[in-house]
Amino acid sequence: MMSQALDELARHALPGLAFTPGRHQLPAAQFHTDQADARLYLHGATVTDYQPAGQKPVLFTSRAAYFDGKKAIRGGIPVCFPWFSTHPTDPDAPAHGLVRTKPWQVTATTQTPQGPRLELATNLEHLHAAIHLTVGSALQLRFIASNKTTTPQRFELALHTYLCVGNIHQARITGLEHADYLDNLDHRARKTQDADPITFTSELDRVYLDTQQDVTLHDPTWNRRIVVQQTGAGSTVVWNPWIDKSKRMADLGDEEYEHFCCIETGCIADNAITLEPGQSHTVDLTLQTK
Ligand code: BG6
């Protein structure tokens, strides 16, 4: 399905929310209010930018990211659904599911007390997905999956959030102490986080399980904390590709690993969700700076 044309999207414009051509003319929703600026591409419903007024950017998007309307955008909040990483049975299926490379449809816009809200949706064969993005002094992203069929449907999800940091060598993450995780760099071996904050000294790629608590990215370089709050998701992925993997990635600059880490909110492995026919599941993600 093609992206909706900008003239068709114009009827959804609100004060503080316009539809404009983004990079390479891809249709995008541009938020601009007293509280914050943000941008979402209809391609993948990918939020690429969020910047509260007077602050540095919260979301990292690579300067080498593709904006070709085909590949996933490297940065922001790509949506991985209905599977995370490789497909459970089909090795030829794309990594991280089907919807981060699909054109999503705008279904509604509303003005809320927090700021403008944009609602989008996309359909897969068995599942329907919707996103509600509200831009204010916090960024609120709601993801809703619904089972359209007459049989149970299992899915995984990751809201694959790339967060800016001043310097990865100084950054640390709290909130995941003592949590079990699957180590993607060790054949998904199950391990337990110790009592210390997570720091970055080499490639790190972990799926933390049964995590309901807030997770905080501490950034002493920029004198800022980013708090990641969620409901409805049980997993938190922490990822930084470090030096060698960055060099292998065509859509990431060689030095850019120093300026982001991913804290992904989702439902992965043991925390995957099975929807009964007609049932829906909602995940709420909030990003707030302190
Ligand atoms: C992370 C995975 O979520 O996404 C990593 O844990 C992966 O293993 C990374 O490398 C990026 O994936 P992709 O498909 O966007 O290159």
Side-chain angles (χ1 to χ4, degrees), residues 74 84 95-96 100 160 162 184 205 237 239 245 249 264:
R74 176 71 62 203
F84 175 78
H96 287 338
R100 64 177 179 161
H160 193 310
Y162 290 74
N184 282 333
D205 190 351
V237 180
W239 177 60
K245 186 159 181 171
M249 294 171 69
E264 308 166 35

Side-chain angles (χ1 to χ4, degrees), residues 31-61:
F31 296 79
H32 176 67
T33 70
D34 291 347
Q35 307 259 44
D37 285 347
R39 177 180 278 188
L40 173 146
Y41 281 84
L42 270 53
H43 178 66
T46 312
V47 188
T48 52
D49 300 273
Y50 173 59
Q51 187 164 15
Q55 293 189 33
K56 290 189 185 293
V58 169
L59 294 177
F60 166 89
T61 296

